[in-house]
Amino acid sequence: MSQAIDTLWTMSGAVFEAASSPVRGRRAEQERLTQWVRRHVHRNGGGVLWVEGPAGAGKSRILACAGNEAALAGARVLTISGMAGGRMTPLAPLLDALTIEPGDVAHGPSAGADQEDTSYWLLRKVADRLRELTRERPVVLLVDDVHDCDDLTLLAVRTLTVRLAGLPLLWVLASRTHADAPAVRALRRDLFTRQATQLELSPLAPDAIRQMTQDLLGPQAALVAPLLCYLDGLPGTVRQLCAHLQEVFPVAPCPPADAGDVQEVVTWLVTRRLDQLSEDARELVLIASALGDTFTVQHLSQLLGRSEPALLAPLREVLAAQLLRAGDDHLSFPHAPLREAVAATLPRPIRLSVRRRSVEVRARAGVPTVSLAAELIDIAEPGDAWAGRILRQAAQDLAFAAPGTAARYLRRAMEITTALCPERQRLSVELIPLLWQAGEITEARDLARDVVQAPPDAVTHARACLELARMDSQFAVQQPDAHVRHVHRRRDVPVPVKDQLLSMTLLNRLLTGDAEEACGAVADALMRTRGVHPVSELAHRTMQSISAVHRHHWADAIKHSDAAAASLAQLDPGCAASLPEVALATSWRASLLSVTGDDRGALNLVEAAAEEAEQRGRRAFLPLWRTTRARLLLDTGQLAAAARELAAAEDVAAATGLPFTGEPAAWCSRARVAFHLGDDAGVEACAARAEEYLASTEPQQRRIGAWITVVTAAYRDAELTARPLLAAKAHLTRGYLHATGIDPGDAVLLVRAALASGQREVAAAVVEFAEHRAQHNARFPLFEVTARHARGLLDGDRSSLMDTAERYGNARPLLSSQAWEDAGVLMTSADPSEARACFERALEGYEGCGAERDSRRARSRLRKLGVKPTAAGGAPDAGWRGLTPSELGVVRLIAHGATNRQAAERLFLSPHTVNTHVRHAFEKLGVRSRVQLARLYLREVDEAAEVSS
């Protein structure tokens, strides 16, 4: 480490101690100063040099180096330094440097002279003394901390630099940047007017700071590395920090610094800076620390109760100390830990009081409540009614966009409201739907139960009942029907609230399987109030559509669904997406669109709703959307994607603790997906759940259990008795399951299972039902095709099955493949070549869907005919490099030049699904572009197929 001269010679020959070692990173500044001093001393001339920089920039050290150079050049060096606070005898620095006592002034003012006369004679004496000294040799006068000198000393410097300009007297003055004392500003202005030279010390570069810490700390420098960003490039602050750390960790090597160490050191730095500020500047930065990371001067002025011009002086001081930074229209702290360290010096009660007054000032200025609530939530005290109103309004404003945040605000409003106050329970009712949407199911239910059991008034009771109905298929309280009747009898409950409660109650009963309730007393009550509120009108139209499907009148179902969509368009978009009635109506409509053949429209509808729920944090809706989407993907043959959606729905439901009312529908879809994928574990899980449903006392659950049992038995090639088959037929003829219509193709599956079990009468009954349904819904070809498929299985009509397979087309690839396979089975003995063609068509469809179990069965049938099957497109292995069949189908098209959109259209997938398959393929194959993917596929798959052929 470098070593420099540490002494300066004063006029009297006394030694002046100064840390004069060169400052790393200041070579250019030091060289410039050295040349200036040498040049003027050697020429026996005078001049003024103004050194300026922030606190800790190294002004004193560079001044000491200049003094050493002047002494070595033969000059006499005098030092002057101001004192913080200015509490000293006027002209004391100059008098001390020149060893002049006030009593030594010869022929001075007479006794009793005023201060002005005394100062005048002292100034003359200083001037005479400096003239005397310059006769012997050049004099260099170093004035440090000019900003802390008294006004008379500054006036003397200002005057003497003019009077003694022709003498070999060099003035080197050091001051902080942007010093606010009027006398300092006047002195600086006059000196630069007279061509004074300026040397500005800017913050050091990061590399210089790092090297400086290495020089000072050696092996311990690693401890300082995480803290350098808080030092603002000031060498003085670096030296102080290193000295502080050497006191804390005197032994090397030092332990690594953690977050606590960082904050402790920052606090130490901040404390030192605060001590250097004036009282006004310290008050300003302390108050500012409670306002957050950014704020405006106007806001600070209002909070301090002082005009903006009155803040200029302390603000300049704080900016010079680099405790604040000035942006285009705001002030900010350089670093968050810096602000936290400043705020930590304020007692907590004062800090909270400042923040509270800040919120009040901003509220009076018209700042939106949403912006105020984020801060108010931490400082509101119990019983603070004004804070409660702000938080409540913010929650209402955010209820649609961010229900989780709105719930947090409203929960805090409840906490500061008196426990026994009726207003607290009214807030609870507003909080219930927010908690439910955010996935905090348990807390939402507990609040609703508390309000229902002891409501403060009839309206609050009715609203709590409504929220409970929206959360569940049934009230989680005793005698829910009694609560509904009680609400309906109360005259002080608004009719729209009664309307919505009754419609939601009936809709829940329909969704859980009690379709007969549509003709019951609740429906009559609903009809008397229907139409009072758009939401209940929407629910009523949805129920009519569900009831029409239950009667297998699908045209009427579509008509009522269209009317429901019209009702939905009349709702406020700001709240519609948060209503369960809207979610259920949308899911139901997507199911109807799928049956009519508009699979893409159905998927787009569900995906838009699911994306909205994801973005807004409506976790309670995610199981519904994912289950609905899984069902649509299953119908269109996208098995892998359907499996992922079902797993995601299950994960969300488990994470939120939500007893998802559509769970039976999810299990039905899961059973079918596992059946086609060959998922043994999935089938076993479905079989176990079917046993639970069969043991239930509810008829709907027993029917669902029977249906899942049919699927799992078909997977195991097990025979069934007529009883579970008839129960499954009852499930089929019901027409809907939760907010989804029964797939028309389920009739084919049931006929096949009945025939495999030797229950031909049951199969005939199912075929009769399918044909009856098709006859009454001639507008929808899918019903007619599935009925023809079922009849072909029952009658063994291979031509009918082949015709059915063609008519399915690409809309229902799994059903089409099954029809080809069924036709091939009938032709195996009569026409093996035709059977082979049918099995190959079936295999191609199965592989496109990723139906592994069905693909294995089709390959087995082909091998029995002496054919060695290959994957579609000539790929020797459908599991090439770990790709799923669905991914491989997309990759095959992409490799042959198709765009993602073209691949989606040819495979009847959504663009989103194709993008997902491409992304997964990139990850598995280790490629980064479509070009790399195509080259790899053509080389390893297409070329391998040509060689093998």
Side-chain angles (χ1 to χ4, degrees), residues 866-878:
V867 178
K868 183 178 180 180
T870 60
D877 183 5

mmCIF file with all atom_site columns, all heavy atoms in Angstrom, residues 866-878:
data_model
loop_
_atom_site.group_PDB
_atom_site.id
_atom_site.type_symbol
_atom_site.label_atom_id
_atom_site.label_alt_id
_atom_site.label_comp_id
_atom_site.label_asym_id
_atom_site.label_entity_id
_atom_site.label_seq_id
_atom_site.pdbx_PDB_ins_code
_atom_site.Cartn_x
_atom_site.Cartn_y
_atom_site.Cartn_z
_atom_site.occupancy
_atom_site.B_iso_or_equiv
_atom_site.pdbx_formal_charge
_atom_site.auth_seq_id
_atom_site.auth_comp_id
_atom_site.auth_asym_id
_atom_site.auth_atom_id
_atom_site.pdbx_PDB_model_num
ATOM 1  N N   . GLY A 1 866 ? -51.222 -60.589 -39.800 1.00 0.00 ? 866 GLY A N   1
ATOM 2  C CA  . GLY A 1 866 ? -49.928 -60.726 -40.458 1.00 0.00 ? 866 GLY A CA  1
ATOM 3  C C   . GLY A 1 866 ? -49.311 -59.419 -40.871 1.00 0.00 ? 866 GLY A C   1
ATOM 4  O O   . GLY A 1 866 ? -48.386 -59.388 -41.696 1.00 0.00 ? 866 GLY A O   1
ATOM 5  N N   . VAL A 1 867 ? -49.770 -58.316 -40.317 1.00 0.00 ? 867 VAL A N   1
ATOM 6  C CA  . VAL A 1 867 ? -49.257 -56.994 -40.680 1.00 0.00 ? 867 VAL A CA  1
ATOM 7  C C   . VAL A 1 867 ? -48.417 -56.466 -39.527 1.00 0.00 ? 867 VAL A C   1
ATOM 8  O O   . VAL A 1 867 ? -48.828 -56.523 -38.364 1.00 0.00 ? 867 VAL A O   1
ATOM 9  C CB  . VAL A 1 867 ? -50.416 -56.014 -40.967 1.00 0.00 ? 867 VAL A CB  1
ATOM 10 C CG1 . VAL A 1 867 ? -49.849 -54.637 -41.302 1.00 0.00 ? 867 VAL A CG1 1
ATOM 11 C CG2 . VAL A 1 867 ? -51.280 -56.540 -42.101 1.00 0.00 ? 867 VAL A CG2 1
ATOM 12 N N   . LYS A 1 868 ? -47.176 -55.961 -39.875 1.00 0.00 ? 868 LYS A N   1
ATOM 13 C CA  . LYS A 1 868 ? -46.337 -55.325 -38.870 1.00 0.00 ? 868 LYS A CA  1
ATOM 14 C C   . LYS A 1 868 ? -46.628 -53.831 -38.893 1.00 0.00 ? 868 LYS A C   1
ATOM 15 O O   . LYS A 1 868 ? -46.196 -53.114 -39.799 1.00 0.00 ? 868 LYS A O   1
ATOM 16 C CB  . LYS A 1 868 ? -44.859 -55.569 -39.165 1.00 0.00 ? 868 LYS A CB  1
ATOM 17 C CG  . LYS A 1 868 ? -43.933 -54.992 -38.095 1.00 0.00 ? 868 LYS A CG  1
ATOM 18 C CD  . LYS A 1 868 ? -42.479 -55.292 -38.411 1.00 0.00 ? 868 LYS A CD  1
ATOM 19 C CE  . LYS A 1 868 ? -41.572 -54.718 -37.331 1.00 0.00 ? 868 LYS A CE  1
ATOM 20 N NZ  . LYS A 1 868 ? -40.133 -54.991 -37.620 1.00 0.00 ? 868 LYS A NZ  1
ATOM 21 N N   . PRO A 1 869 ? -47.368 -53.335 -37.921 1.00 0.00 ? 869 PRO A N   1
ATOM 22 C CA  . PRO A 1 869 ? -47.814 -51.936 -37.983 1.00 0.00 ? 869 PRO A CA  1
ATOM 23 C C   . PRO A 1 869 ? -46.677 -50.968 -37.688 1.00 0.00 ? 869 PRO A C   1
ATOM 24 O O   . PRO A 1 869 ? -45.740 -51.273 -36.971 1.00 0.00 ? 869 PRO A O   1
ATOM 25 C CB  . PRO A 1 869 ? -48.885 -51.861 -36.890 1.00 0.00 ? 869 PRO A CB  1
ATOM 26 C CG  . PRO A 1 869 ? -48.498 -52.923 -35.910 1.00 0.00 ? 869 PRO A CG  1
ATOM 27 C CD  . PRO A 1 869 ? -47.868 -54.032 -36.722 1.00 0.00 ? 869 PRO A CD  1
ATOM 28 N N   . THR A 1 870 ? -46.738 -49.785 -38.299 1.00 0.00 ? 870 THR A N   1
ATOM 29 C CA  . THR A 1 870 ? -45.829 -48.671 -38.011 1.00 0.00 ? 870 THR A CA  1
ATOM 30 C C   . THR A 1 870 ? -46.658 -47.475 -37.606 1.00 0.00 ? 870 THR A C   1
ATOM 31 O O   . THR A 1 870 ? -47.872 -47.429 -37.824 1.00 0.00 ? 870 THR A O   1
ATOM 32 C CB  . THR A 1 870 ? -44.979 -48.301 -39.231 1.00 0.00 ? 870 THR A CB  1
ATOM 33 O OG1 . THR A 1 870 ? -45.867 -47.921 -40.299 1.00 0.00 ? 870 THR A OG1 1
ATOM 34 C CG2 . THR A 1 870 ? -44.138 -49.480 -39.680 1.00 0.00 ? 870 THR A CG2 1
ATOM 35 N N   . ALA A 1 871 ? -45.980 -46.524 -37.003 1.00 0.00 ? 871 ALA A N   1
ATOM 36 C CA  . ALA A 1 871 ? -46.689 -45.303 -36.611 1.00 0.00 ? 871 ALA A CA  1
ATOM 37 C C   . ALA A 1 871 ? -47.094 -44.530 -37.847 1.00 0.00 ? 871 ALA A C   1
ATOM 38 O O   . ALA A 1 871 ? -46.513 -44.666 -38.919 1.00 0.00 ? 871 ALA A O   1
ATOM 39 C CB  . ALA A 1 871 ? -45.802 -44.434 -35.714 1.00 0.00 ? 871 ALA A CB  1
ATOM 40 N N   . ALA A 1 872 ? -48.104 -43.693 -37.713 1.00 0.00 ? 872 ALA A N   1
ATOM 41 C CA  . ALA A 1 872 ? -48.571 -42.890 -38.835 1.00 0.00 ? 872 ALA A CA  1
ATOM 42 C C   . ALA A 1 872 ? -47.452 -42.020 -39.358 1.00 0.00 ? 872 ALA A C   1
ATOM 43 O O   . ALA A 1 872 ? -46.662 -41.481 -38.604 1.00 0.00 ? 872 ALA A O   1
ATOM 44 C CB  . ALA A 1 872 ? -49.750 -42.025 -38.389 1.00 0.00 ? 872 ALA A CB  1
ATOM 45 N N   . GLY A 1 873 ? -47.396 -41.871 -40.704 1.00 0.00 ? 873 GLY A N   1
ATOM 46 C CA  . GLY A 1 873 ? -46.348 -41.066 -41.305 1.00 0.00 ? 873 GLY A CA  1
ATOM 47 C C   . GLY A 1 873 ? -45.059 -41.826 -41.497 1.00 0.00 ? 873 GLY A C   1
ATOM 48 O O   . GLY A 1 873 ? -44.047 -41.275 -41.869 1.00 0.00 ? 873 GLY A O   1
ATOM 49 N N   . GLY A 1 874 ? -45.029 -43.139 -41.235 1.00 0.00 ? 874 GLY A N   1
ATOM 50 C CA  . GLY A 1 874 ? -43.826 -43.914 -41.459 1.00 0.00 ? 874 GLY A CA  1
ATOM 51 C C   . GLY A 1 874 ? -42.848 -43.868 -40.325 1.00 0.00 ? 874 GLY A C   1
ATOM 52 O O   . GLY A 1 874 ? -41.730 -44.343 -40.457 1.00 0.00 ? 874 GLY A O   1
ATOM 53 N N   . ALA A 1 875 ? -43.182 -43.283 -39.205 1.00 0.00 ? 875 ALA A N   1
ATOM 54 C CA  . ALA A 1 875 ? -42.255 -43.218 -38.086 1.00 0.00 ? 875 ALA A CA  1
ATOM 55 C C   . ALA A 1 875 ? -42.107 -44.588 -37.480 1.00 0.00 ? 875 ALA A C   1
ATOM 56 O O   . ALA A 1 875 ? -43.092 -45.241 -37.153 1.00 0.00 ? 875 ALA A O   1
ATOM 57 C CB  . ALA A 1 875 ? -42.756 -42.235 -37.040 1.00 0.00 ? 875 ALA A CB  1
ATOM 58 N N   . PRO A 1 876 ? -40.887 -45.122 -37.344 1.00 0.00 ? 876 PRO A N   1
ATOM 59 C CA  . PRO A 1 876 ? -40.708 -46.468 -36.815 1.00 0.00 ? 876 PRO A CA  1
ATOM 60 C C   . PRO A 1 876 ? -41.059 -46.580 -35.350 1.00 0.00 ? 876 PRO A C   1
ATOM 61 O O   . PRO A 1 876 ? -41.239 -47.673 -34.873 1.00 0.00 ? 876 PRO A O   1
ATOM 62 C CB  . PRO A 1 876 ? -39.210 -46.718 -37.041 1.00 0.00 ? 876 PRO A CB  1
ATOM 63 C CG  . PRO A 1 876 ? -38.586 -45.349 -37.093 1.00 0.00 ? 876 PRO A CG  1
ATOM 64 C CD  . PRO A 1 876 ? -39.609 -44.468 -37.686 1.00 0.00 ? 876 PRO A CD  1
ATOM 65 N N   . ASP A 1 877 ? -41.142 -45.491 -34.651 1.00 0.00 ? 877 ASP A N   1
ATOM 66 C CA  . ASP A 1 877 ? -41.433 -45.560 -33.215 1.00 0.00 ? 877 ASP A CA  1
ATOM 67 C C   . ASP A 1 877 ? -42.261 -44.353 -32.828 1.00 0.00 ? 877 ASP A C   1
ATOM 68 O O   . ASP A 1 877 ? -41.796 -43.217 -32.924 1.00 0.00 ? 877 ASP A O   1
ATOM 69 C CB  . ASP A 1 877 ? -40.130 -45.575 -32.403 1.00 0.00 ? 877 ASP A CB  1
ATOM 70 C CG  . ASP A 1 877 ? -40.407 -45.733 -30.910 1.00 0.00 ? 877 ASP A CG  1
ATOM 71 O OD1 . ASP A 1 877 ? -41.571 -45.916 -30.557 1.00 0.00 ? 877 ASP A OD1 1
ATOM 72 O OD2 . ASP A 1 877 ? -39.442 -45.664 -30.139 1.00 0.00 ? 877 ASP A OD2 1
ATOM 73 N N   . ALA A 1 878 ? -43.503 -44.590 -32.409 1.00 0.00 ? 878 ALA A N   1
ATOM 74 C CA  . ALA A 1 878 ? -44.377 -43.470 -32.054 1.00 0.00 ? 878 ALA A CA  1
ATOM 75 C C   . ALA A 1 878 ? -43.885 -42.735 -30.829 1.00 0.00 ? 878 ALA A C   1
ATOM 76 O O   . ALA A 1 878 ? -44.312 -41.633 -30.547 1.00 0.00 ? 878 ALA A O   1
ATOM 77 C CB  . ALA A 1 878 ? -45.808 -43.967 -31.822 1.00 0.00 ? 878 ALA A CB  1
#
